[in-house]
Amino acid sequence: MQPVVAYLEVSSRPTKSPKCDQTFVSRIGGPQNGSFSAPLLHNHRNHSRQCLYTFLAGPGQRVEVVFKSFNLRGSPPDGSAVGELPSCVHEYMDIYSEVQSSEPAELINSPFGGRYCGTIPPRRRISMYRAVAISFFSNKNVTTDLFEGTFRFINACENDGIHIRGSECDQKILSKKESTGFVLSPNYPYPYIPKTVCRYFIYGMQDAQHLERVRLEFNAFNIPKVEHKDKGESNCTDGYLKIYLKGQETADAYDKFDYELCGNETQRVISEGPRLAMVFSSGELQGRGFKGKYTFETEYKIPGTAAPDGTCSFTYVSNSKKRGELNSPRYPSNYPSDTNCSYLFLAEADEQVTIVFDHFKIKADNNANATAGAYGSGACFEDWLEMYVVYRDNNDRLLGRYCGQTAPGPVESPRGAVGLRITLHTDQESVASGFKARYFFESAKSDAGDCGGNFSNQDSGLITSPNWPAGYKAPGRGMASNACNWVMRARPGYKLSIHFEQFGLEGDPANRGCPAAVLRLWMNVDSDQPPMELCGEKPPVEQWHYTSTGQTARISFTTSDKTVGAQGFRIVWTEIQDSGPGPPSVGLHCESTYHFQCGAGYCISDKLRCDGVKNCGPGDDTDELHCTTEAAEEDYDVLIIITLLVVSSLICLLCILCHSRRNRRNHVRQLGLHRNAHYDSQTSATAAGLSSSRRHLQSGGASIAGSLHGINSGNLMIPPAPLPPTSVPPPPHICIAGVDMGMGMGMGHGLMSNGEDDEDDLELDEDQLDADIFINDVHFDEDNIDHVNQMANV
């Protein structure tokens, strides 16, 4: 408000009024100040005279009155300065500073401001409204040089305070939106009057948009104190200034003060709400008093170390407190409009900081895309919250911008970073309840976190959430969070294809964000672009597929202590040939024969064909086509090999059985041909030998079975055949399916000829042929013998 330029006009009362009355009125175009003094009166008849001085300010103005000299007859008693009347009998001055009307008759309805006489002048006065009235009384013969003062009309907005009704020095000072001013002791800079009590109420703004606190700093302070021998007794027993920071005055709890000051102290205090009150009491000793500067500043109600300049900046240091809370200004009430706040979290060298949001509601823009959540500068450009990673080179990297009810996911500062920083910006429009979060300083984890890994020089890979597909769990007891970090790095000339095959995390990006668990995806680790932030359920019909903008990509999965759990995710990443900016072209030529071109145009490693994983991306399974036929052909070749081995084994078995049968028949023939004098004596021996041969053949059957098993398994070791008798030339070797039959034939030939060629031996005893011969459980009849003879001739 601009000050009103005024001039002073002394107006005359009607003739019936005392000629000593004076009125000073503010007029546009006149001076803004002036002086006044006692009238020169001659009262030879000792009649009493009373003069009224009226000061009337213009609209938007107030009146300031200051006395330069004062010397009225009389001696004021104790308490006269606050309105007690008895002693000022012959001359006195009454002051009215809360006058609402300039009419003299209205003074009787105005609060009385005090009666003065003697040599102590009244203190400086500022009108509560637009007028001040001074009434001078004298019953002496001559009045001259009794008082002198100055007045001025000031802007009402520059007033430091207002006087409270019924009191001379009590003041109430109200905020005018982060305003400042000074509060003074009575009569400052001159010594204050003894035995005076004044109260000061300094109140900041408190409404739906504002919440202020009061900061008070003393530029000068002098109230004499009394030293006592008893150190437990207060030194402020003569005069003091008591300060109340918690609104105790609203309950008349003046005995519960926060500070009691005297002496030459210079204290700086801050109220714990919008109210600060002071009570000043002067004793017998006079002092210069005090001058204090008050400042109304926004009360943020934020835990943390506040910036000394009073701005909304707070710091959280690990070596001060390992865990705690933070919130938006005034939470759970609405945060103030047109505000910028900063929260800085500084960890030790071997620590990292975790932040988890428990409540989040920042005013969202009307056109925010609610279906995808309110993230990023494109959706949040009125009110927003931003999170940054702070590095040691003072470089901050943006993690994300958030508004609406889409709460940020839990976040850990990466290894090697200094910490995290949060900023809150609000404009001049509507407001909301803001946010509440928790912070934790814990020992630093590896780059991979609690799980994860680093992949390079690989064609493809799978990334799954912990315990997939059974579902991830909350961090261990006492842990604030659990994080898994994966970094994929492609070779020069290649990019990365990242396909989310399955995805299910607790959270709802559209309605409440990802406060319990979140997956962040950086499409280029070397870029300053913030990551994508994902949670919720991926519908089966949707295809979540991304292509990196550089050679590197990073995935970070973080859960908090409020995690409930869900199935998690399965992600396929594949190294693809870089086709330049934009989507891949179908006509792209793959660089070498070691690459396979997908139907969608990607060039991937040929090694990835038919590996059971779709590496060509969503809707493209060309790398897994025609894999069933090729597998069948490979199985057919194996089947042929197995069949040949089985057939060869059977042939070998038949040859062994056939050879064994021939040996037995030749042995029988040999027994039948030996008809000599020694036949009868050798018969029993021969039978015993055949019985032994029978047992040998029985044990040989088991050996044959074992040999077949060895042939089928490929582990059979065939021993070399024994040398034949020297008198008989060895028969030709017969080899079937890799089995040498020479040994069997040689042994059979030896049994048939026994190395002798005697015709008598070839003759058979007819009587012997008449009977069946059973030797070694083998039945021989005439047909058998004939068959044996035929075989022998052959």
Side-chain angles (χ1 to χ4, degrees), residues 200-419:
Y200 303 82
F201 305 96
I202 308 174
Y203 291 166
M205 300 181 69
Q206 185 178 16
D207 54 38
Q209 289 288 334
H210 308 94
L211 179 64
E212 291 183 327
R213 64 182 180 185
V214 183
R215 182 187 299 270
L216 180 63
E217 298 177 89
F218 290 98
N219 301 104
F221 193 93
N222 177 251
I223 300 176
K225 65 180 178 178
V226 180
E227 298 289 346
H228 297 283
K229 293 182 180 181
D230 185 359
K231 298 300 182 182
E233 187 177 354
S234 172
N235 293 326
C236 304
T237 55
D238 184 73
Y240 58 81
L241 178 68
K242 293 180 179 179
I243 301 178
Y244 304 84
L245 303 176
K246 304 180 182 66
Q248 296 95 321
E249 76 284 356
T250 59
D252 289 330
Y254 287 101
D255 58 328
K256 299 179 180 179
F257 52 85
D258 295 295
Y259 292 92
E260 184 181 51
L261 306 179
C262 62
N264 296 314
E265 300 186 38
T266 55
Q267 188 72 34
R268 173 187 173 188
V269 297
I270 300 176
S271 66
E272 296 185 9
R275 301 172 179 271
L276 185 148
M278 299 189 302
V279 174
F280 168 66
S281 176
S282 63
E284 298 288 345
L285 304 175
Q286 274 190 309
R288 189 178 180 185
F290 57 85
K291 178 181 180 181
K293 179 181 180 181
Y294 60 82
T295 302
F296 295 105
E297 57 189 26
T298 300
E299 168 57 54
Y300 301 108
K301 289 190 173 179
I302 297 175
T305 304
D309 59 359
T311 59
C312 188
S313 299
F314 298 85
T315 304
Y316 305 83
V317 183
S318 171
N319 56 20
S320 176
K321 192 176 182 181
K322 292 298 182 184
R323 58 181 56 195
E325 296 181 347
L326 65 147
N327 53 260
S328 55
R330 302 181 58 194
Y331 181 86
S333 300
N334 289 346
Y335 54 77
S337 59
D338 195 19
T339 301
N340 289 284
C341 295
S342 175
Y343 308 77
L344 179 62
F345 302 85
L346 299 176
E348 296 291 324
D350 58 345
E351 289 183 329
Q352 60 189 140
V353 59
T354 300
I355 297 179
V356 179
F357 285 83
D358 295 324
H359 175 85
F360 191 87
K361 189 174 183 181
I362 305 295
K363 183 195 66 175
D365 313 323
N366 294 329
N367 60 347
N369 185 2
T371 60
Y375 296 106
S377 59
C380 307
F381 54 88
E382 292 183 2
D383 291 2
W384 66 73
L385 179 143
E386 290 181 335
M387 292 199 298
Y388 294 85
V389 176
V390 182
Y391 292 94
R392 300 192 183 280
D393 57 357
N394 294 324
N395 181 29
D396 294 353
R397 179 167 292 187
L398 178 65
L399 278 175
R401 176 183 286 190
Y402 313 86
C403 62
Q405 299 185 55
T406 52
V411 59
E412 287 184 358
S413 61
R415 186 178 182 88
V418 173

Side-chain angles (χ1 to χ4, degrees), residues 490 494-498 522-524 546-553 576:
Y494 291 82
K495 292 182 178 180
L496 295 168
S497 166
I498 300 176
W522 287 263
M523 298 312 300
N524 190 342
Y546 308 96
T547 303
S548 67
T549 59
Q551 291 179 233
T552 58
I576 61 175

